[in-house]
Amino acid sequence: MSFHHSHHSHRHRHHHDDNDQYEDPTGVEVDGLVGDGPYEMEMLGDFGRLEQQQQYTREQPQQEDSSFIMDDILLLNHFCANAFPPRDDSEEAQIAADRSWEPVHHWILNHDANEFRAAAEQRDDAGKTALHFACQFNPPKEIIDIFLSAAADIVQWPDSFGWLPIHYACAYGAATDVIQSLADAFPESKTTVDRKGRTPLHFALGTSNYNSTDVLVLLSSTGAASYPDDNGMLPLHYACAYGASEEALYVLTDAYSDAITTPDRRGRTPLHFALSNAGRKASPAAVRLLLSLNEDQVNSMNGGPLPLRVLSEHAATLKEDEEQRESVENCLKYLLAAKPDPTADFFTALQSLPSFLQERAVVMRVVQELLNEKIAQRFPTAILLLDFYMQMLVVVFYSLAVEQSINRRFGGAADTSSDTAYCIVLYAGATYFFMREIIQVFSLISLKALHIWVYEPGNWLNVMYIIYMYVITGFMTTGKGNDDYFRIGAAAAFAFIWVKFLAYLRNILIDFAVFSGGVFHVMRRLMAFLICLMIILIAFSRMFFTLFVASADCKTNPPPTAEQLDLELIEESLDIKVWCTGWDSFLRVYTMLLGEVDEDDFGGNTFAIMLFVIFMLLVVILLANVLIAIVADSYKVIQDQRAAIVFWTNRLQYIAQMDAIANGPWKSRLRTCMGMSAIDRTHNVKVTFGKDLWRRFMELFEYEVDEGVFSFEFLCSIILRICALIFIPFWIIGGAVVAGWLWPPQIRQKLFTQAVSKHSSESDKEEQLRKTQIQRLQVEIDDLREELMQELAMDRTQMVQMKSAVAERKLEIQNEMKHIKRIVTMLFEQQGSS
């Protein structure tokens, strides 16, 4: 007895120690959800701890020693605690689990009702009875029925943490009929909460392998679906976190529809929990259901996180698992189909998606329409035009400034006034790009998305461009620095200028986006080829060098004298050999690869000529054709399969930058300083300046006059068209001068928008068909519900009538029995008198 009692005391003292962070069988860590992310819920509760403790109990030898003898009344607890559920779905596991309950059956058969009741009412230090233990291990229904018939009160007894037996049964996935029996024996248990505010419904949904809709209907029938725990989490939060089935979610949303938009203590709705586990197979159905019931939750609500950002954080943790990626992509499709508001936070979240998910997003029609809508707004258009103007100014004035600076350094020119004017323009251009990057960085910091700027290679190109322009312009202004090094640096600056200009063009024209994407894709594909080519070139160069080094030809060429400085004299007096040094050999082999060959280079060496023939066959003919095949194939992949992805990804990066700048902290502070109200960032105000006027101008050229050419109406139309032809060019040019700010929306759309996908994918068509079928099914369910309600009302009426008829019939039978009794009594009396 002493061993058993102390053993359970040890088992549960740690289990319910209030000083420790509480963990329970549902796997939910109440004081902060465990896992890598703030939404991830793992099965780290008491399951593992109880398994170890139960294994420890089973391994204790049942010795004959009197020191280990246990009180008979405590054996029931011991046997229930040592039973176990099936390990898997196999028949052998079920047989083994059934045998684990044989000691319990045997003990019950050998004790009367009073002894059983006394044993069932025994508690350990944690307040657990044998029924609590039994409910942990998927017990047979007959065992539970015996407990409920012989000791019915214990079903109402909570342990020291407020858990009833039904809490344990739900947490460990007991059979439906077992939970039904426990609920019928104590109906109030369905809404009984433990010390953390959780009902049995929370526990049932806190296990990823338990989705019995019958149990959920039973537990939620008395309003348990509306009970939040201490974290503010409803059962629907648990269901979405653990990947409950779509049918289970329907039960919970029907029982308490407000749960869809109810946030927990941290502002997280059930949608957030579904997206934080988007890799699960059931998550897409959950996301689709939640958004179909309320599309508004696709945006940030009540200060909570943006759902798309939650999906992005989860997707970044996925491994190379096709099934998980497919589930995440489906969740993304349902999110974007709900048409979220095109806020700065939305675009930065879209940009922070992993590459495989971002490529899927940018080809969706809804995203492309949003990007086109954004690029045609005033601010992104103005920045595009200002970038173009500054790029052109830098290109033109840098070329002029470099030429003047080199003439001054090497030609002795003294006039520096033009240099200074050119450099002022260059400083202005570099400062413009510098301020743009600074504003973008601070804007992303305010949106908590600085990592997007850090991981974007184009931003680092901009930083290098700005620094280089400041440095090289400073050397041109001051005239300092080594002249030769300045010439080299000035030449290298042209590479930065034109690469940046190409990066600009890829944001507005799909052909340039495909080209730049193709270049990088080809370079990645050519990495192995280039390494092999370099090895072959080095090998041949060393072979040629070995054949000619220290030969007579390499020793007969003295260095030129001062009198032979003229190039023609050098060429005549000096027979240049190309194999005498390692570097010269490598350069010569490289030029041979490009087709430059001179037979005199081999000096009649037979082996060198053989090497040359092999080199031409292996490198020039074979590898050159392999190179052409790789480049053509790689570029075709970009052009045919990834053209839209490359362009719309570039467009997304630009729009995310512009939206971050447009909604950055500088704008709010400026409006505050000017005494203006803050801007509502959740809704974008569409500017329609000049839209109607431009439309009317265009209608002038579409309008056909029915009257003759000499009619007054025709004359007026001609005059109006001439006025329009005069005014429109001035309008376009004037708008271009102010960076498109005065253009009507039609011009910006014409210049910068790109055609979107017009054909729906097969999955989209199937989804639309599914929605139609669901709507029809809902109508049929409503009709069926009405019919059932009417039939139930009629049945209740008939039952009342039947009860009345049975009562009347019972009264008649009683009267008849009394009459028969009197007759029989009279017969006995007459027989006795005779």
Coordinates of all heavy atoms in Angstrom, one line a residue, residues 533-541 543-544 579 585-597 602 607-624:
L533 N 35.2 24.2 -68.4 CA 35.9 24.9 -69.4 C 37.2 25.5 -68.9 O 38.3 25.5 -69.5 CB 35.0 26.0 -70.0 CG 35.7 26.8 -71.1 CD1 36.0 26.0 -72.3 CD2 34.7 27.9 -71.6
M534 N 37.2 26.1 -67.7 CA 38.4 26.7 -67.1 C 39.4 25.6 -66.8 O 40.6 25.9 -67.1 CB 38.0 27.4 -65.8 CG 39.1 28.2 -65.1 SD 39.8 29.5 -66.2 CE 38.3 30.5 -66.3
I535 N 39.0 24.5 -66.4 CA 40.0 23.4 -66.1 C 40.7 23.0 -67.4 O 41.9 22.8 -67.5 CB 39.3 22.2 -65.5 CG1 38.8 22.6 -64.0 CG2 40.2 21.0 -65.4 CD1 38.0 21.5 -63.4
I536 N 39.9 22.9 -68.5 CA 40.5 22.5 -69.8 C 41.4 23.5 -70.3 O 42.5 23.2 -70.8 CB 39.3 22.2 -70.8 CG1 38.5 21.0 -70.3 CG2 39.9 21.9 -72.2 CD1 37.3 20.7 -71.2
L537 N 41.0 24.8 -70.2 CA 41.9 25.8 -70.7 C 43.2 25.9 -70.0 O 44.3 26.0 -70.6 CB 41.2 27.2 -70.6 CG 40.0 27.4 -71.5 CD1 39.4 28.8 -71.3 CD2 40.4 27.3 -73.0
I538 N 43.2 25.7 -68.6 CA 44.4 25.7 -67.8 C 45.3 24.5 -68.2 O 46.5 24.6 -68.3 CB 44.1 25.7 -66.3 CG1 43.4 27.1 -66.0 CG2 45.3 25.5 -65.5 CD1 42.9 27.1 -64.5
A539 N 44.6 23.4 -68.4 CA 45.4 22.2 -68.7 C 46.1 22.3 -70.1 O 47.3 22.0 -70.2 CB 44.4 21.0 -68.8
F540 N 45.4 22.8 -71.1 CA 46.1 23.0 -72.4 C 47.2 24.1 -72.4 O 48.2 24.0 -73.0 CB 45.1 23.3 -73.5 CG 44.4 22.1 -74.1 CD1 43.2 21.7 -73.6 CD2 45.1 21.4 -75.1 CE1 42.6 20.5 -74.2 CE2 44.5 20.3 -75.7 CZ 43.3 19.9 -75.2
S541 N 46.9 25.2 -71.6 CA 47.9 26.3 -71.5 C 49.2 25.7 -70.8 O 50.3 26.1 -71.2 CB 47.3 27.4 -70.7 OG 47.1 27.1 -69.4
M543 N 50.2 22.6 -70.9 CA 50.9 21.7 -71.8 C 51.7 22.5 -72.8 O 52.8 22.1 -73.1 CB 49.8 20.8 -72.5 CG 49.3 19.7 -71.6 SD 48.3 18.5 -72.4 CE 46.8 19.4 -72.7
F544 N 51.1 23.5 -73.4 CA 51.8 24.3 -74.4 C 53.0 25.0 -73.7 O 54.1 25.1 -74.3 CB 50.9 25.4 -75.1 CG 50.0 24.8 -76.1 CD1 48.6 24.8 -76.0 CD2 50.5 24.2 -77.3 CE1 47.8 24.3 -76.9 CE2 49.7 23.7 -78.2 CZ 48.3 23.7 -78.1
W579 N 54.3 31.4 -75.8 CA 54.3 30.3 -74.9 C 55.4 30.3 -73.9 O 55.6 29.4 -73.1 CB 54.4 28.9 -75.6 CG 53.5 28.8 -76.8 CD1 53.9 28.7 -78.1 CD2 52.1 28.7 -76.8 NE1 52.8 28.6 -78.9 CE2 51.6 28.5 -78.1 CE3 51.1 28.7 -75.8 CZ2 50.3 28.4 -78.5 CZ3 49.8 28.5 -76.1 CH2 49.4 28.4 -77.4
S585 N 50.6 32.0 -72.1 CA 50.1 30.7 -72.6 C 48.6 30.6 -72.4 O 47.8 30.3 -73.3 CB 50.8 29.5 -71.9 OG 52.1 29.5 -72.2
F586 N 48.1 31.0 -71.2 CA 46.7 31.0 -70.9 C 45.9 31.9 -71.8 O 44.9 31.6 -72.4 CB 46.4 31.3 -69.5 CG 45.0 31.3 -69.1 CD1 44.3 30.1 -68.9 CD2 44.3 32.5 -69.0 CE1 43.0 30.1 -68.5 CE2 42.9 32.5 -68.7 CZ 42.3 31.3 -68.4
L587 N 46.4 33.2 -72.0 CA 45.8 34.1 -72.9 C 45.7 33.6 -74.3 O 44.7 33.8 -75.0 CB 46.5 35.5 -72.8 CG 46.3 36.3 -71.5 CD1 47.1 37.6 -71.6 CD2 44.9 36.6 -71.2
R588 N 46.8 33.0 -74.8 CA 46.8 32.5 -76.1 C 45.7 31.4 -76.3 O 45.0 31.3 -77.3 CB 48.2 32.0 -76.5 CG 48.3 31.8 -78.0 CD 48.0 33.1 -78.8 NE 48.2 32.9 -80.2 CZ 47.9 33.8 -81.1 NH1 47.4 35.0 -80.7 NH2 48.1 33.6 -82.4
V589 N 45.7 30.5 -75.4 CA 44.7 29.4 -75.4 C 43.3 30.0 -75.4 O 42.4 29.5 -76.1 CB 44.9 28.4 -74.3 CG1 43.7 27.4 -74.2 CG2 46.2 27.6 -74.5
Y590 N 43.1 31.0 -74.6 CA 41.7 31.6 -74.6 C 41.4 32.3 -75.9 O 40.2 32.2 -76.4 CB 41.7 32.7 -73.4 CG 40.4 33.4 -73.3 CD1 39.3 32.7 -72.7 CD2 40.2 34.7 -73.7 CE1 38.1 33.3 -72.6 CE2 39.0 35.3 -73.5 CZ 37.9 34.6 -73.0 OH 36.7 35.2 -72.8
T591 N 42.3 32.9 -76.5 CA 42.0 33.5 -77.8 C 41.8 32.5 -78.9 O 41.1 32.7 -79.9 CB 43.2 34.5 -78.3 OG1 44.4 33.8 -78.3 CG2 43.3 35.7 -77.3
M592 N 42.5 31.3 -78.8 CA 42.3 30.2 -79.7 C 40.8 29.7 -79.6 O 40.2 29.3 -80.5 CB 43.2 29.1 -79.4 CG 44.7 29.3 -79.9 SD 45.9 28.2 -79.2 CE 45.2 26.6 -79.7
L593 N 40.3 29.7 -78.3 CA 38.9 29.3 -78.1 C 38.0 30.3 -78.9 O 36.9 29.8 -79.4 CB 38.6 29.4 -76.6 CG 37.1 29.2 -76.2 CD1 36.6 27.8 -76.6 CD2 36.9 29.4 -74.8
L594 N 38.3 31.5 -79.0 CA 37.5 32.5 -79.7 C 37.7 32.5 -81.2 O 37.1 33.3 -81.9 CB 37.7 33.9 -79.1 CG 37.5 34.0 -77.6 CD1 37.8 35.5 -77.1 CD2 36.0 33.7 -77.3
G595 N 38.7 31.7 -81.7 CA 38.9 31.6 -83.1 C 40.2 32.2 -83.7 O 40.4 32.2 -84.9
E596 N 41.0 32.9 -82.8 CA 42.2 33.5 -83.3 C 43.3 32.5 -83.2 O 43.8 32.1 -82.2 CB 42.5 34.7 -82.4 CG 43.7 35.5 -82.9 CD 44.0 36.7 -82.0 OE1 43.1 37.1 -81.2 OE2 45.1 37.2 -82.1
V597 N 43.8 32.0 -84.4 CA 44.8 31.0 -84.5 C 45.9 31.4 -85.5 O 45.6 31.9 -86.6 CB 44.2 29.6 -84.9 CG1 45.3 28.6 -85.0 CG2 43.1 29.2 -83.9
F602 N 53.3 27.6 -83.3 CA 53.7 26.3 -82.8 C 55.2 26.0 -83.3 O 55.7 24.9 -82.9 CB 52.8 25.2 -83.3 CG 51.3 25.5 -83.0 CD1 50.4 26.0 -83.9 CD2 50.9 25.4 -81.7 CE1 49.1 26.3 -83.6 CE2 49.6 25.7 -81.3 CZ 48.7 26.2 -82.3
F607 N 54.2 17.7 -81.8 CA 53.3 17.4 -80.7 C 52.4 18.6 -80.4 O 51.3 18.4 -80.0 CB 54.1 17.0 -79.5 CG 53.3 16.5 -78.3 CD1 52.8 15.2 -78.4 CD2 53.1 17.3 -77.2 CE1 52.0 14.7 -77.4 CE2 52.3 16.8 -76.2 CZ 51.8 15.5 -76.3
A608 N 53.0 19.8 -80.5 CA 52.2 21.0 -80.3 C 51.0 21.1 -81.3 O 49.9 21.5 -80.9 CB 53.0 22.3 -80.3
I609 N 51.3 20.8 -82.5 CA 50.3 20.8 -83.5 C 49.2 19.7 -83.2 O 48.0 20.0 -83.4 CB 50.9 20.5 -84.9 CG1 51.8 21.7 -85.3 CG2 49.8 20.4 -86.0 CD1 52.6 21.5 -86.6
M610 N 49.6 18.6 -82.7 CA 48.6 17.5 -82.3 C 47.8 18.0 -81.2 O 46.5 17.8 -81.2 CB 49.4 16.3 -81.9 CG 50.1 15.6 -83.1 SD 51.0 14.1 -82.5 CE 49.7 13.1 -81.8
L611 N 48.4 18.7 -80.2 CA 47.6 19.3 -79.1 C 46.6 20.3 -79.6 O 45.5 20.4 -79.2 CB 48.5 19.9 -78.1 CG 49.3 19.0 -77.2 CD1 50.2 19.8 -76.2 CD2 48.4 18.1 -76.4
F612 N 47.0 21.1 -80.6 CA 46.2 22.1 -81.2 C 44.9 21.5 -81.9 O 43.8 21.9 -81.7 CB 47.0 23.0 -82.2 CG 46.1 23.8 -83.1 CD1 45.4 24.9 -82.6 CD2 45.9 23.5 -84.4 CE1 44.6 25.7 -83.4 CE2 45.1 24.2 -85.2 CZ 44.4 25.4 -84.7
V613 N 45.2 20.4 -82.6 CA 44.1 19.7 -83.3 C 43.1 19.1 -82.2 O 41.9 19.3 -82.4 CB 44.6 18.6 -84.2 CG1 43.5 17.7 -84.7 CG2 45.4 19.1 -85.3
I614 N 43.6 18.5 -81.2 CA 42.8 18.0 -80.1 C 42.0 19.1 -79.4 O 40.8 19.0 -79.1 CB 43.6 17.2 -79.1 CG1 44.2 16.0 -79.7 CG2 42.7 16.8 -77.9 CD1 45.2 15.3 -78.8
F615 N 42.7 20.3 -79.2 CA 42.0 21.4 -78.6 C 40.9 21.9 -79.4 O 39.8 22.2 -78.9 CB 43.1 22.5 -78.4 CG 42.5 23.8 -77.8 CD1 42.3 23.9 -76.4 CD2 42.1 24.8 -78.6 CE1 41.7 25.1 -75.9 CE2 41.6 26.0 -78.1 CZ 41.4 26.1 -76.7
M616 N 41.1 22.0 -80.7 CA 40.0 22.5 -81.6 C 38.8 21.5 -81.6 O 37.6 22.0 -81.6 CB 40.6 22.7 -83.0 CG 41.6 23.7 -83.2 SD 41.0 25.4 -82.7 CE 39.9 25.7 -84.1
L617 N 39.1 20.2 -81.6 CA 38.0 19.3 -81.6 C 37.2 19.3 -80.3 O 36.0 19.2 -80.3 CB 38.5 17.9 -81.9 CG 39.0 17.6 -83.4 CD1 39.7 16.2 -83.5 CD2 37.9 17.7 -84.4
L618 N 38.0 19.3 -79.2 CA 37.3 19.1 -77.9 C 36.7 20.4 -77.4 O 35.5 20.4 -77.0 CB 38.4 18.7 -76.9 CG 37.9 18.6 -75.4 CD1 36.8 17.5 -75.3 CD2 39.1 18.2 -74.5
V619 N 37.4 21.5 -77.6 CA 36.9 22.8 -77.0 C 36.1 23.6 -78.0 O 34.9 23.9 -77.8 CB 38.1 23.6 -76.5 CG1 37.6 24.9 -75.9 CG2 38.8 22.8 -75.4
V620 N 36.7 23.9 -79.1 CA 36.1 24.8 -80.1 C 34.8 24.2 -80.7 O 33.8 24.9 -80.9 CB 37.1 25.3 -81.2 CG1 36.4 26.2 -82.2 CG2 38.3 25.9 -80.5
I621 N 34.9 22.9 -81.1 CA 33.8 22.3 -81.8 C 32.8 21.8 -80.8 O 31.6 22.1 -80.8 CB 34.3 21.2 -82.7 CG1 35.2 21.9 -83.8 CG2 33.1 20.5 -83.4 CD1 35.7 20.8 -84.8
L622 N 33.2 20.9 -79.9 CA 32.3 20.2 -79.0 C 31.8 21.1 -77.9 O 30.5 21.3 -77.8 CB 33.0 19.0 -78.3 CG 32.2 18.1 -77.4 CD1 31.0 17.6 -78.1 CD2 33.0 17.0 -76.8
L623 N 32.7 21.7 -77.1 CA 32.2 22.5 -75.9 C 31.5 23.8 -76.4 O 30.5 24.3 -75.7 CB 33.4 22.9 -75.0 CG 34.0 21.7 -74.3 CD1 35.0 22.3 -73.3 CD2 32.9 21.0 -73.5
A624 N 31.9 24.3 -77.5 CA 31.2 25.5 -78.0 C 29.7 25.2 -78.4 O 28.8 26.0 -78.1 CB 31.9 26.1 -79.2

